[in-house]
Amino acid sequence: MSVRLIDKYAHEFIEKDALAAMEERLIKADAMLKARSEENDYKGWYDLPLNYDTEELAAIERAAEKIRTESDVLIVIGIGGSYLGARAAIEFLRSRYYNIQKKDTPEIYFVGNSFSGDDLDDVLALCEGKEVSVNVISKSGTTTESSIAFRMVRHMMLKKYTNSEIKERVFVTTDKERGALKAFADREGYNTFVIPDDVGGRFSVLTAVGLLPIAVCGADVRAMLRGAANMRRRIDAEGMKNDAYRYAVLRNLFYEQGKCVEILGSYEPSFRMMNEWWKQLFGESEGKDGKGIFPASVIFSADLHSLGQYIQDGKRVLFETIVKQKQVRKDMFIPSNAVDIDGLGFLSGVKMSSVNDEAMIGTLLAHTAGGVPNLIVEYDKRDEENLGELIYFFFIACAVSGYILGVNPFDQPGVEAYKRNMYALLGKPGYEELKEELLTKIHAL
Ligand code: PA5
């Protein structure tokens, strides 16, 4: 058993009656998760680790090998669910310094996740004089951020390579048959990978969306899928009392106590992008119909020196979930100084991991004393299997938590609002009326 939930620091916030009252809603949520519909219910991620398309997986590994052999740089174009998981996994499995470390795998840069020309220009400059491959990822094939970035990157590629060379260097991950990107990839003869129809963006890291870039950094993507499958089997075996369900129940319990912000925290900086991935997963799944826990994140101890004050003493609307890594990759011992100028002589010879652990326990006790319930999600170590388990744990918890909350965890109707306004303001044909309306509004401000 690897990933597990520890709730002993939250016991004082959990009333037995309130927990029992949740039971019926959990039973319903479990039934909703397991129910299958004739229509696309976006639950393809649920069985995916148990019956992955092995041919697709082998093709992903071949493409990753080709990119590793032929390129110094992989540019990954995508946003939201078509971006966060891969970046999070690479930083978690390798390092947040991956790109500047000495290695025999390509540097991996992520673009198309903003409209910033400065940011894109920085990445294009980093590619000068280097062999480049591109993985453009978009399920809809029409997302503006990624489409613009793909145009710019393709223009850079056209200056560098012939059309037939580009064909060998562009890998498109998109819908099996629909969308502008699929049509374009077919026309140009690019390699394509499929995002299954029934897997939504934020649940797609264990498909080609995440697995291709992750495999390029040399990670064992089969072990990730194995980890996810292990978690699934464990959840099935443990039934209603499994840790992912318990996490889903407890966060709803805190929410009903008025704790409407959950802070996901880690004491490992390599987890920073996992925090971002988690925020999208829970934020897009639950924040709707005027409901939902707002997902925030911290990396401790850095953020104890910025947000620590608020967490300890600010408005009491918070609970924390600390993702705890049990084993470090390499421990370091604090050296002794001839003269104890900093007064830390008592730490001479002590492991850094011990300091990190005690900082965590000290903080847990301080924050719970300050009225902030704390849960711990613990994993053993930074490897592919643990990561797969962790990802699947959060998938299940998110789906069940959304159902308990009473929302559909698999849609995201709210994300269209800004897009419509932006298209109108940029003059997209068909949006003329909305443009008039918005300009009138702006001028009246
Ligand atoms: O989770 C989601 O559905 C979104 O975050 C999408 O992944 C994001 O908007 C990108 O969409 P697409 O893959 O269609 O470009």
Side-chain angles (χ1 to χ4, degrees), residues 79-82 137-141 143 146 201-202 280 284 412:
I79 192 164
S82 293
I137 309 170
S138 176
K139 184 168 186 198
S140 61
T143 300
S146 29
R202 58 191 175 275
Q280 190 215 358
E284 264 190 6
Q412 54 281 332

Side-chain angles (χ1 to χ4, degrees), residues 63-315:
E65 176 59 28
K66 182 174 164 65
I67 294 168
R68 277 199 300 266
T69 321
E70 295 175 6
S71 293
D72 307 309
V73 173
L74 171 68
I75 300 180
V76 182
I77 303 173
I79 192 164
S82 293
Y83 154 58
L84 289 162
R87 178 152 177 206
I90 292 166
E91 291 196 12
F92 176 91
L93 294 170
R94 291 288 172 266
S95 162
R96 61 190 178 128
Y97 307 112
Y98 169 80
N99 278 331
I100 51 171
Q101 278 175 331
K102 227 171 151 201
K103 59 188 167 306
D104 52 14
T105 50
E107 292 157 40
I108 303 176
Y109 297 108
F110 292 86
V111 302
N113 49 68
S114 76
F115 288 118
S116 166
D118 284 356
D119 191 75
L120 186 55
D121 187 52
D122 284 346
V123 172
L124 295 183
L126 282 165
C127 295
E128 269 168 37
K130 296 178 183 163
E131 299 298 341
V132 177
S133 289
V134 179
N135 181 200
V136 50
I137 309 170
S138 176
K139 184 168 186 198
S140 61
T142 55
T143 300
T144 317
E145 286 90 339
S146 29
S147 301
I148 291 176
F150 186 35
R151 275 188 182 223
M152 306 286 251
V153 170
R154 216 176 136 262
H155 275 251
M156 179 270 283
M157 299 283 280
L158 283 166
K159 285 188 203 142
K160 215 174 155 80
Y161 300 112
T162 64
N163 273 327
S164 59
E165 283 170 334
I166 291 178
K167 246 168 63 174
E168 295 295 311
R169 293 182 172 275
V170 175
F171 299 82
V172 173
T173 308
T174 190
D175 189 85
K176 191 162 59 163
E177 47 207 19
R178 279 171 306 182
L181 185 58
K182 172 67 182 158
F184 187 64
D186 286 347
R187 204 190 75 190
E188 297 293 313
Y190 295 153
N191 304 281
T192 54
F193 291 95
V194 174
I195 309 176
D197 222 20
D198 55 356
V199 179
R202 58 191 175 275
F203 287 86
S204 70
V205 58
L206 297 177
T207 70
V209 169
L211 298 184
L212 177 56
I214 296 168
V216 171
C217 86
D220 179 353
V221 291
R222 284 178 195 260
M224 270 179 80
L225 289 166
R226 205 162 49 238
N230 290 346
M231 179 53 75
R232 167 57 186 279
R233 287 192 201 97
R234 224 182 89 197
I235 287 171
D236 286 350
E238 291 170 0
M240 300 294 284
K241 294 211 176 328
N242 78 74
D243 280 6
Y245 282 23
R246 216 149 53 83
Y247 172 50
V249 166
L250 288 173
R251 53 198 303 286
N252 273 283
L253 199 86
F254 299 147
Y255 178 64
E256 287 178 10
Q257 293 171 4
K259 312 242 177 249
C260 57
V261 179
E262 177 178 12
I263 303 176
L264 193 79
S266 167
Y267 285 72
E268 292 299 329
S270 60
F271 205 79
R272 187 178 298 276
M273 285 307 296
M274 282 298 290
N275 277 349
E276 299 305 313
W277 169 83
W278 173 90
K279 284 196 280 197
Q280 190 215 358
L281 179 65
F282 280 81
E284 264 190 6
S285 300
E286 292 192 321
K288 52 196 74 159
D289 308 336
K291 305 189 222 180
I293 298 166
F294 183 82
S297 69
V298 288
I299 293 292
F300 288 156
S301 65
D303 291 327
L304 288 173
H305 296 256
S306 59
L307 294 171
Q309 171 61 38
Y310 191 105
I311 299 171
Q312 190 67 48
D313 271 346
K315 204 165 165 58

Side-chain angles (χ1 to χ4, degrees), residues 1-4 45-52 206 220-239 242-244 380-381 383-396:
M1 179 166 94
S2 173
V3 174
R4 59 214 151 254
W45 57 271
Y46 183 62
D47 286 334
L48 190 126
L50 300 179
N51 53 20
Y52 197 86
L206 297 177
D220 179 353
V221 291
R222 284 178 195 260
M224 270 179 80
L225 289 166
R226 205 162 49 238
N230 290 346
M231 179 53 75
R232 167 57 186 279
R233 287 192 201 97
R234 224 182 89 197
I235 287 171
D236 286 350
E238 291 170 0
N242 78 74
D243 280 6
D380 283 340
K381 53 183 175 182
D383 70 8
E384 288 87 340
E385 231 172 281
N386 275 264
L387 180 61
E389 283 195 24
L390 204 52
I391 287 169
Y392 197 79
F393 172 90
F394 282 128
F395 279 170
I396 293 283

Side-chain angles (χ1 to χ4, degrees), residues 346-359:
F346 71 102
L347 289 178
S348 296
V350 173
K351 290 188 250 173
M352 286 283 285
S353 62
S354 304
V355 179
N356 213 13
D357 286 350
E358 298 309 334

